[in-house]
Amino acid sequence: MEMTGATLVAEKIIAFEDAQLHTQAFGDPAHPPVLLIMGVMSSMLWWPERFCEELAAQGRYVIRYDQRDTGLSTCYPPGEPDYSFSDLADDAIAILDGYGIEAAHLVGMSMGGFLAQEAALRHPRRVRTLTVISSSPLGVDGLPSSTKAYQEHSAAAESLDWSDLGAISDFLRRDSAMLAGTRHPHDAEAASALIARDMGRTASFASATNHFMLLSEDKAATLHASRIDVPVLVIHGTSDPLFPIEHGEAFIRVAPTAQLQRIAGGGHEIHDQDVDEMVRVIADHTGF
């Protein structure tokens, strides 16, 4: 164990079947547990340490983890993921099992928001509340696509040489800038440092592209946000270029327990200057 600021931090490897997941917990295990689920191609480092520390300081036991094919968790050959999207949702429950937690508050970002919804739908007794950040409700069609500028940018990934770490790093830096909102200046230096740290922490960064294969899977017809019966908090930036704000607003139309916290000018990111606001509403939402 170690201390980060005034917060006790512990690391743990959850091993099951053919995978190992690297996890890190902040705070007191006696406090209500909050499991953080990050998005596509992103290790747990994309949950900022200050975010985790401040949420722990609000009396929560905060767990973040590297999903399969990210960070220090099990990696598979690029193009050959030996797991499904539903397996990733079940991984969240396996982590709760590994920590001896009966039920937790789930917080999912982007793709992690889809995974958190699926976990809540398929394992309702294991989920106390759900928080969805910069994501979209499962099973809801007819919502706006990402902005044209972001679509043009992301199309460049199709011709990217994923064995060229320099080219990958350059693309991810551009991606981080494209996903930024309008409320705060984009911190290119901090983004570059995080990308370098993330890339240097895994044996096969190209394996993370396996997540895109999972996103193309057909979801079961029963997986629909309207069937979520735990309290739902939606946090969504009004300038999100990947999932426009209409995706966040759709939650409060279809999910009976949903409430929406708009981040004015926020993008598809957890910006350092928005951490205090986000932690405050999550702490209020998970306060039981």
Side-chain angles (χ1 to χ4, degrees):
M1 295 187 179
E2 62 177 315
M3 298 292 289
T4 301
T7 305
L8 184 65
V9 182
E11 298 193 356
K12 185 174 185 177
I13 294 174
I14 307 297
F16 55 95
E17 297 179 355
D18 62 340
Q20 292 187 341
L21 302 179
H22 191 86
T23 76
Q24 191 175 55
F26 296 72
D28 187 341
H31 290 161
V34 175
L35 180 65
L36 307 178
I37 309 173
M38 189 33 77
V40 66
M41 288 190 66
S42 301
S43 76
M44 68 179 179
L45 297 185
W46 291 82
W47 291 108
E49 287 186 3
R50 189 167 79 84
F51 177 94
C52 299
E53 291 167 357
E54 289 198 9
L55 193 52
Q58 293 295 316
R60 304 293 180 271
Y61 184 49
V62 181
I63 302 169
R64 63 179 184 174
Y65 67 100
D66 295 327
Q67 296 205 57
R68 303 189 200 207
D69 278 324
T70 73
L72 301 178
S73 291
T74 298
C75 287
Y76 302 79
E80 301 178 30
D82 191 21
Y83 59 92
S84 68
F85 192 88
S86 291
D87 288 330
L88 290 188
D90 288 342
D91 285 352
I93 304 303
I95 289 173
L96 300 187
D97 291 340
Y99 274 85
I101 295 171
E102 181 177 351
H105 303 279
L106 301 189
V107 180
M109 167 80 181
S110 193
M111 183 186 80
F114 291 110
L115 293 171
Q117 290 177 74
E118 180 162 341
L121 286 164
R122 294 178 54 229
H123 307 277
R125 288 182 292 181
R126 307 300 301 275
V127 180
R128 296 189 188 186
T129 67
L130 185 64
T131 299
V132 180
I133 304 171
S134 302
S135 191
S136 187
L138 278 177
V140 178
D141 298 323
L143 296 174
S145 301
S146 55
T147 64
K148 182 178 180 181
Y150 189 78
Q151 290 182 47
E152 292 174 350
H153 156 75
S154 61
E158 297 178 7
S159 59
L160 191 66
D161 180 358
W162 289 94
S163 66
D164 184 341
L165 294 182
I168 295 172
S169 180
D170 289 342
F171 176 80
L172 293 178
R173 284 196 291 268
R174 293 194 301 273
D175 192 64
S176 179
M178 290 293 298
L179 291 172
T182 59
R183 185 180 190 178
H184 311 294
H186 174 61
D187 191 338
E189 184 176 347
S192 294
L194 176 56
I195 290 165
R197 186 181 171 200
D198 197 23
M199 292 182 66
R201 194 168 159 268
T202 181
S204 177
F205 192 82
S207 294
T209 59
N210 286 334
H211 288 177
F212 290 112
M213 298 178 68
L214 308 180
L215 289 174
S216 64
E217 293 177 1
D218 290 331
K219 304 296 186 298
T222 55
L223 295 181
H224 196 284
S226 63
R227 297 185 175 92
I228 298 172
D229 59 6
V230 298
V232 179
L233 169 65
V234 178
I235 301 175
H236 213 106
T238 61
S239 297
D240 188 328
L242 181 56
F243 292 117
I245 185 60
E246 288 86 352
H247 290 253
E249 293 170 342
F251 269 103
I252 59 176
R253 292 199 306 272
V254 301
T257 64
Q259 56 177 316
L260 173 62
Q261 178 74 21
R262 293 177 176 84
I263 303 294
H268 195 82
E269 60 182 344
I270 301 177
H271 195 285
D272 183 69
Q273 294 184 49
D274 294 329
V275 164
D276 291 345
E277 178 181 354
M278 296 172 78
V279 165
R280 175 180 57 79
V281 295
I282 293 172
D284 288 346
H285 182 61
T286 60
F288 66 93

